[in-house]
Amino acid sequence: MAARVYGLKVIASGIEDSPHNVTRFLVIGKAEVPPSGCDRTSIAFSIKDRVGALHDMLVPFKKYRINLTKIESRPSKKKAWDYYFFVDMDGHKDNRG
């Protein structure tokens, strides 16, 4: 439906591995987009499973006063207790703290 609404090309369909999957769509372009003043940035990362690892990853966001609007974890499906983290934050990649 998003492809129809926004005139996008579907690269692959039916790729979910769970019938309860919810998909977020990203449009990736070749040109950089300048800050608009109401930007949101998304990142994904993984960390080693150790005490305090997630805390250590989040401390810089607090230090530089970056507002996190969403954080999710998903199993990597590679091994037990191995996760990917998806974080949304206010701001543009070029914003300075």
Side-chain angles (χ1 to χ4, degrees), residues 37-89:
C38 58
D39 301 288
R40 180 161 291 167
T41 299
S42 299
I43 62 171
F45 61 89
S46 63
I47 51 179
K48 293 195 183 274
D49 179 27
R50 65 169 177 77
V51 173
L54 182 57
H55 172 269
D56 293 345
M57 286 297 296
L58 296 177
V59 165
F61 294 103
K62 179 176 178 168
K63 178 180 177 183
Y64 293 103
R65 301 176 53 88
I66 298 169
N67 184 43
L68 302 183
T69 58
K70 186 177 196 175
I71 183 167
E72 296 180 14
S73 62
R74 295 286 181 258
S76 71
K77 299 183 182 177
K78 293 179 181 179
K79 64 179 182 176
W81 308 110
D82 191 39
Y83 291 88
Y84 293 114
F85 295 89
F86 300 89
V87 176
D88 289 352
M89 65 195 86

Side-chain angles (χ1 to χ4, degrees), residues 4-15:
R4 280 194 313 272
V5 170
Y6 295 105
L8 302 172
K9 178 182 174 186
V10 175
I11 297 171
S13 61
I15 60 171

